[in-house]
Amino acid sequence: LVLLALSPATVACVFLLCLGDYDWLEVSTVLFFVLVPTLFLLIAFWFSVFRPWQSVANILMGFREDDYSLRSSVDQSTDVVNIVLKELNAIADYLSSSRSSVYETQKLLSRILAEVDVAVFLFDNHRRLVMANRYACKLYGLSEAALIGKNVDELDLNFAQLAAHTSAHEHQFPKCKSRWLVKHSAYRQQGLSHQCILLADIGVNLREEELDAWRKLIRILSHEINNALTPMKTTTGSMARILPRTDSYPDWKVDFREGLA
């Protein structure tokens, strides 16, 4: 559009120069002083108008490709394009910071899931496994890569899907048999329904509680046995002291009978 706007004046200038009685030096001088400023203005126009919008387009294409590293140089002017570039730079900073925060949160969550003694299974809308933590892999004796893609039937987890939201079931896994606390819930990812199943081994806790109950019972029995043995020890001690001096102790037979009774 700028070239079309300048073309009538340029054509008119050339036409007038051709009609007039001018030599080549005069014609070239006039054209030089007309065309060179025009070319300079076109270049300045390109840098002031086209280049900023090209920067805007590059940053937006970076957003589409999840690349938030692109920035554009800005100044303190209040030009609309400069304000747009400032806002795009601020959005890029925010998105880059948010992505870093999400990545760190995901790493922390993965670390927590790897350390807890609870089996975590995530299934997609086709009931195929998409994630399993370390403890879940330990139940099957396989790596996560070997478990990914298997359906609920192959993993023998139908009992967990059909169970109540929170319930306890006894189940035999390839590497472990115990009583499990089952929790399952649904969540959505990219608009599709997914399912999360959590299995906590409560058999260990029950066994620990049973052992603790036996320990308490043994302590009570030991206390009661000691209470019964103490008077017996006292009586037999008294009888042992009387026995060497029975000649000087006429009633020793009565005391012995009572002690034995």
Side-chain angles (χ1 to χ4, degrees):
L1 291 178
V2 174
L3 290 175
L4 289 176
L6 293 175
S7 59
T10 304
V11 171
C13 181
V14 173
F15 182 74
L16 291 175
L17 289 174
C18 292
L19 291 180
D21 187 15
Y22 304 105
D23 57 20
W24 66 271
L25 182 61
E26 293 173 332
V27 173
S28 60
T29 301
V30 172
L31 290 177
F32 176 79
F33 282 104
V34 171
L35 296 179
V36 170
T38 302
L39 181 62
F40 176 79
L41 291 175
L42 286 174
I43 295 174
F45 174 78
W46 185 83
F47 273 99
S48 63
V49 176
F50 182 75
R51 281 289 297 274
W53 288 112
Q54 183 63 45
S55 298
V56 171
N58 291 337
I59 294 175
L60 293 177
M61 285 189 292
F63 290 171
R64 186 181 62 187
E65 300 296 332
D66 291 333
D67 180 10
Y68 308 126
S69 62
L70 296 178
R71 301 291 188 277
S72 178
S73 58
V74 295
D75 50 36
Q76 301 299 323
S77 67
T78 58
D79 182 73
V80 174
V81 179
N82 191 67
I83 295 175
V84 171
L85 290 174
K86 284 183 179 179
E87 294 300 324
L88 285 176
N89 289 343
I91 293 174
D93 292 336
Y94 174 76
L95 292 176
S96 178
S97 176
S98 298
R99 184 169 65 177
S100 298
S101 178
V102 170
Y103 176 76
E104 293 172 356
T105 303
Q106 289 176 343
K107 294 294 290 184
L108 176 60
L109 180 60
S110 299
R111 183 65 178 272
I112 293 174
L113 290 178
E115 296 300 328
V116 297
D117 290 334
V118 175
V120 180
F121 301 91
L122 299 184
F123 293 92
D124 61 11
N125 57 320
H126 299 295
R127 300 176 63 193
R128 294 191 176 276
L129 187 70
V130 295
M131 196 281 285
N133 68 339
R134 176 190 57 82
Y135 192 80
C137 297
K138 183 180 177 181
L139 297 179
Y140 294 92
L142 298 173
S143 64
E144 184 180 8
L147 292 176
I148 295 300
K150 294 183 179 294
N151 59 34
V152 176
D153 297 328
E154 292 175 311
L155 296 174
D156 195 18
L157 287 174
N158 279 319
F159 79 96
Q161 281 197 328
L162 299 176
H165 176 67
T166 302
S167 57
H169 295 268
E170 187 170 344
H171 186 72
Q172 170 74 55
F173 285 100
K175 297 296 182 180
C176 181
K177 179 181 180 180
S178 185
R179 189 167 181 81
W180 307 92
L181 179 65
V182 180
K183 291 187 177 183
H184 61 86
S185 60
Y187 68 98
R188 303 190 72 83
Q189 186 173 2
Q190 296 181 351
L192 300 176
S193 177
H194 290 59
Q195 188 175 19
C196 173
I197 295 178
L198 304 179
L199 300 177
D201 186 1
I202 59 176
V204 176
N205 295 331
L206 293 176
R207 287 191 293 271
E208 290 179 354
E209 292 178 0
E210 184 179 359
L211 288 174
D212 186 57
W214 276 108
R215 294 189 188 100
K216 292 179 179 178
L217 179 59
I218 290 172
R219 284 196 297 268
I220 293 173
L221 290 175
S222 299
H223 178 72
E224 295 300 327
I225 292 173
N226 287 330
N227 289 342
L229 289 176
T230 299
M232 294 172 62
K233 181 179 179 181
T234 303
T235 303
T236 54
S238 300
M239 293 168 63
R241 288 192 297 272
I242 294 172
L243 190 59
R245 52 190 183 89
T246 54
D247 295 338
S248 60
Y249 192 79
D251 296 330
W252 67 274
K253 292 182 178 182
V254 178
D255 290 342
F256 262 59
R257 290 191 190 97
E258 292 179 356
L260 290 174

